[in-house]
Amino acid sequence: MKKRLLPVLVFVLIAAVLCSCTNAQTTPSGSIADTSETTVEQTETTAADAESYNTCFVTIDCQKVLQKMDDLKKSKRQFVPEGGYILQDASVKYKKGETAFDVIKRVCKENVCTDSCKYCQDNGIQLEYTYSQAYQSYYIQGIHQLYEKDCGSLSGWMFSVNGEYPETAMNAYEVKQGDVIVLEYYV
């Protein structure tokens, strides 16, 4: 990550030096104005923004339910999107130090499901969770009205990162640049 940012920072610094060499600009009225302070402030803001945000991707998947619709509680069928994805490949900006759980909470609040159902329109994708003091972790009880045991005694939500299941809770997993976070409903 640092290797990727270095060329960007070098470019920004070179641009700042080149811009600061010419401190005068002609305004629309024809007068000359000193722009060096504005250029430096804009450059500093851009560099700070580039360092403070990274990108990851989030998918909320309940495709396995489509294969077991007969096992799903009848009252829950309306919450399973036609293609099986509640959210697919959402690009998410996050700050260093945020956890997978931080990102999931924000993604659910700021997005609607792939079917844009009436339930998501006002408050985003429904997310319900509890905190366990004993394990110091959050447990996702339900997303988009699909809860543990709604599709059989072993059904519920699991999370993976980059195709693997971390040996830590979502609130302990610090997100890294380019991570692909998937919440999948198992049946």
Side-chain angles (χ1 to χ4, degrees):
M1 157 111 169
K2 289 182 183 179
K3 289 180 183 179
R4 290 183 195 164
L5 279 180
L6 185 59
V8 173
L9 291 176
V10 169
F11 175 78
V12 170
L13 289 174
I14 290 171
V17 169
L18 291 175
C19 290
S20 66
C21 291
T22 309
N23 292 343
Q25 254 185 356
T26 305
T27 64
S29 64
S31 62
I32 296 177
D34 182 0
T35 60
S36 61
E37 288 183 34
T38 304
T39 303
V40 171
E41 287 176 19
Q42 289 172 344
T43 302
E44 288 174 0
T45 301
T46 303
D49 288 345
E51 287 183 37
S52 63
Y53 287 99
N54 292 307
T55 303
C56 68
F57 303 91
V58 175
T59 293
I60 304 174
D61 176 359
C62 60
Q63 285 186 310
K64 290 187 169 130
V65 174
L66 296 174
Q67 301 163 7
K68 301 266 190 170
M69 287 299 277
D70 291 340
D71 295 339
L72 184 65
K73 294 178 181 176
K74 287 183 172 65
S75 63
K76 301 294 181 156
R77 290 182 182 169
Q78 64 184 325
F79 299 108
V80 178
E82 189 175 309
Y85 289 100
I86 295 169
L87 187 69
Q88 188 173 11
D89 300 323
S91 177
V92 182
K93 291 200 178 298
Y94 69 92
K95 288 186 178 182
K96 184 178 180 182
E98 284 192 277
T99 67
F101 187 69
D102 296 328
V103 169
I104 294 300
K105 285 193 315 184
R106 190 170 63 254
V107 162
C108 285
K109 185 176 184 179
E110 295 175 354
N111 288 277
V112 297
C113 68
T114 55
D115 285 351
S116 297
C117 72
K118 65 181 180 178
Y119 303 101
C120 293
Q121 296 304 314
D122 295 331
N123 300 313
I125 298 169
Q126 180 267 345
L127 172 68
E128 191 169 334
Y129 53 87
T130 58
Y131 182 77
S132 167
Q133 283 285 26
Y135 296 106
Q136 296 185 345
S137 67
Y138 287 92
Y139 173 74
I140 293 184
Q141 296 172 300
I143 302 174
H144 202 254
Q145 302 299 327
L146 292 175
Y147 286 82
E148 171 188 34
K149 299 182 183 176
D150 278 348
C151 194
S153 61
L154 301 177
S155 63
W157 292 99
M158 290 186 66
F159 94 105
S160 65
V161 179
N162 303 324
E164 297 183 13
Y165 299 96
E167 294 181 14
T168 185
M170 283 195 333
N171 59 300
Y173 180 86
E174 192 171 313
V175 181
K176 296 172 193 69
Q177 173 64 26
D179 274 351
V180 176
I181 302 168
V182 177
L183 283 169
E184 187 172 4
Y185 191 84
Y186 276 84
V187 294

